[in-house]
Amino acid sequence: MFNPGFYQDDDPMSGMFPPGMMGRAGGMPPRRFDEYYRCYPVAMLPGPERENVNHGGKVIMPPSALDKLTRLHITYPMLFELINGNKDTMTHAGVLEFIAEEGKIYLPYWMLETLSLEPGDLLQIKSTDLPSGQFVKLQAQSTSFLDISDPKAVLENAFRNFSCLTVGDVFTFAYNDSVYSMKVLETKPGIAAKGAISVLETDLEVDFAPPVGYEEPKRVSGTSTPRSMTGGLPAGGTLHSTGTMSKAINYASIAPTSSTAADGAKAVSSNFLLGGQKLNARKGSKAPTPKASTPVAGASTNPPPTTIRRTNGPQPLRLPPGKLFFGYEVKPVRKTGEQKEKVEDESKPKFQGQGQTLRGGLKRKGGEPDAVEKIEKGKEAEKKDPGAGGGQKLGGRTLRDAPK
């Protein structure tokens, strides 16, 4: 199965080490690892399910392969060419573990599809060296990849299960219970077979092509986009004297009533623009008689048409360029009932009721003195005429009635 002298004349690993390290018994160069195994998908591996292996770029080999790689002095990173001679397909992969049964190798399912293999087919495995990748261009195989908010972080996590990438491969990775397919379109440097690169311990620049089935959104040109004006028209579009905004929103049907609008309409227009005539005009009036007009060549004798102006509503909007209209000023109108109540309140007297003096007595109508004033007047009369007042005796008669 293995030919020891296969790489005697053309060994791809020759020249990579000094001659002293390559020396062997008989002077033969070191050999590459080259074996054939029966391939199976990772899902058939005994033990618990390992989803990260199924969506990665590493294979599981038997323990005998590790022993042979050690004797060949092939150290980390161990990278391999996977070749299907029947279909002439090839890809590259790393190794994860050496726990498979003897004569078997377990591959991710996407790798079986890339190599056009069926479970149990014979697969050739060769050791190889790949350059560190610098750039890779990927293309998602469905537009669902656009739903991922941070594709860079997701791919960085997915590449932890990969050791190398090959141009033309369509690998898969899992994220949020979904499986996404990604195709490798381009790699740099592309010096290895099929542009394969190593993604271990390197700074890799990633670019994305539009996903399969993605269509660019069509841009609809708006009617309000300014046009380049030529021929004397101002920049920004054609001016409309009647107001295009008012027509677009049908402002005439929704315009609020306003006193300022009515005042403005009266100031602008008038129903009495022409001279009037009296109904009781007399025959001897000195009004001038209109003279007949003589026709002139090239001039029309018809009077110019009269312009009808509206006075029962808002005037047409004539907005200068760059200005917007947000409606007239609205003033609240007082109702008729509120005006009557205000007039009645003003007609009522402000103060009602009888006044009071500081002495506590009430003022009487007609200027009649009260009891307090009578007492005070009596005291003043006694002071002026002490004998005017009649005294009283115990017998009940006054001193004036006593005999002299």
Side-chain angles (χ1 to χ4, degrees):
M1 182 179 294
F2 178 72
N3 184 8
F6 184 78
Y7 287 110
Q8 287 184 4
D9 298 331
D10 185 15
D11 188 0
M13 298 183 66
S14 61
M16 298 183 63
F17 301 98
M21 297 181 61
M22 296 177 60
R24 289 185 177 273
M28 294 180 57
R31 296 174 297 177
R32 292 177 63 183
F33 179 87
D34 189 356
E35 292 289 342
Y36 286 86
Y37 296 98
R38 297 288 177 180
C39 61
Y40 296 92
V42 175
M44 299 179 64
L45 180 68
E49 183 179 359
R50 307 176 68 174
E51 186 178 1
N52 62 327
V53 181
N54 194 35
H55 298 295
K58 299 179 181 181
V59 299
I60 297 179
M61 302 176 68
S64 61
L66 176 61
D67 180 62
K68 191 168 187 178
L69 289 168
T70 305
R71 287 188 284 106
L72 292 174
H73 302 284
I74 298 177
T75 60
Y76 177 87
M78 297 180 180
L79 304 177
F80 302 93
E81 292 180 0
L82 281 63
I83 303 172
N84 181 9
N86 295 331
K87 300 291 185 178
D88 195 19
T89 56
M90 182 184 69
T91 187
H92 297 79
V95 59
L96 181 63
E97 295 177 352
F98 296 91
I99 59 173
E101 298 90 342
E102 291 297 331
K104 295 182 179 180
I105 184 174
Y106 292 93
L107 284 70
Y109 184 74
W110 69 265
M111 204 172 289
L112 290 175
E113 291 184 337
T114 300
L115 296 172
S116 302
L117 290 172
E118 296 292 335
D121 289 350
L122 202 61
L123 180 65
Q124 184 180 10
I125 308 296
K126 293 182 180 181
S127 60
T128 185
D129 288 325
L130 298 177
S132 296
Q134 300 174 357
F135 170 82
V136 62
K137 187 174 184 179
L138 306 175
Q139 183 185 34
Q141 299 302 293
S142 66
T143 55
S144 59
F145 179 74
L146 300 176
D147 298 335
I148 300 177
S149 58
D150 191 358
K152 179 181 178 181
V154 173
L155 283 176
E156 286 180 356
N157 186 44
F159 281 165
R160 296 177 182 176
N161 300 322
F162 288 80
S163 297
C164 51
L165 296 174
T166 307
V167 175
D169 285 359
V170 181
F171 64 89
T172 62
F173 65 92
Y175 176 70
N176 277 357
D177 299 331
S178 300
V179 178
Y180 300 90
S181 300
M182 195 73 64
K183 185 176 182 180
V184 182
L185 299 180
E186 181 183 355
T187 58
K188 292 180 181 180
I191 58 177
K194 297 194 66 175
I197 57 172
S198 172
V199 295
L200 298 173
E201 300 178 358
T202 181
D203 293 331
L204 189 63
E205 181 182 354
V206 181
D207 189 16
F208 294 97
V212 176
Y214 175 75
E215 295 181 0
E216 289 287 343
K218 298 180 180 179
R219 296 182 179 179
V220 181
S221 59
T223 57
S224 60
T225 305
R227 300 177 297 177
S228 59
M229 307 306 298
T230 55
L233 292 176
T238 307
L239 295 179
H240 300 274
S241 59
T242 57
T244 56
M245 181 181 294
S246 62
K247 287 184 178 180
I249 65 176
N250 194 15
Y251 185 78
S253 61
I254 62 175
T257 58
S258 174
S259 59
T260 56
D263 296 341
K266 291 180 180 179
V268 173
S269 61
S270 176
N271 291 328
F272 303 97
L273 298 179
L274 302 175
Q277 295 181 0
K278 292 183 179 182
L279 297 177
N280 55 353
R282 297 180 181 179
K283 295 182 179 180
S285 61
K286 296 182 180 181
T289 304
K291 298 180 181 180
S293 59
T294 304
V296 181
S300 175
T301 59
N302 297 328
T306 58
T307 303
I308 300 176
R309 299 186 180 182
R310 297 185 305 168
T311 59
N312 58 346
Q315 297 298 310
L317 295 176
R318 295 179 176 86
L319 301 177
K323 289 191 177 182
L324 300 177
F325 178 74
F326 295 100
Y328 291 111
E329 178 186 1
V330 178
K331 293 185 178 180
V333 180
R334 187 172 296 173
K335 297 181 180 179
T336 308
E338 295 179 357
Q339 294 179 355
K340 290 182 178 180
E341 292 177 0
K342 184 177 180 181
V343 173
E344 292 177 357
D345 293 342
E346 293 178 353
S347 62
K348 291 181 180 180
K350 304 300 182 181
F351 302 98
Q352 294 180 355
Q354 298 177 354
Q356 295 181 359
T357 60
L358 297 177
R359 297 169 182 172
L362 299 175
K363 292 184 179 180
R364 297 185 179 183
K365 297 181 179 179
E368 295 180 0
D370 54 4
V372 178
E373 292 178 355
K374 289 181 179 181
I375 295 171
E376 291 180 354
K377 288 181 179 181
K379 290 181 179 180
E380 292 177 359
E382 289 179 359
K383 289 179 181 180
K384 294 179 180 180
D385 188 5
Q392 292 184 0
K393 292 182 176 182
L394 298 175
R397 293 189 299 175
T398 61
L399 294 178
R400 293 179 182 178
D401 298 335
K404 294 180 180 179

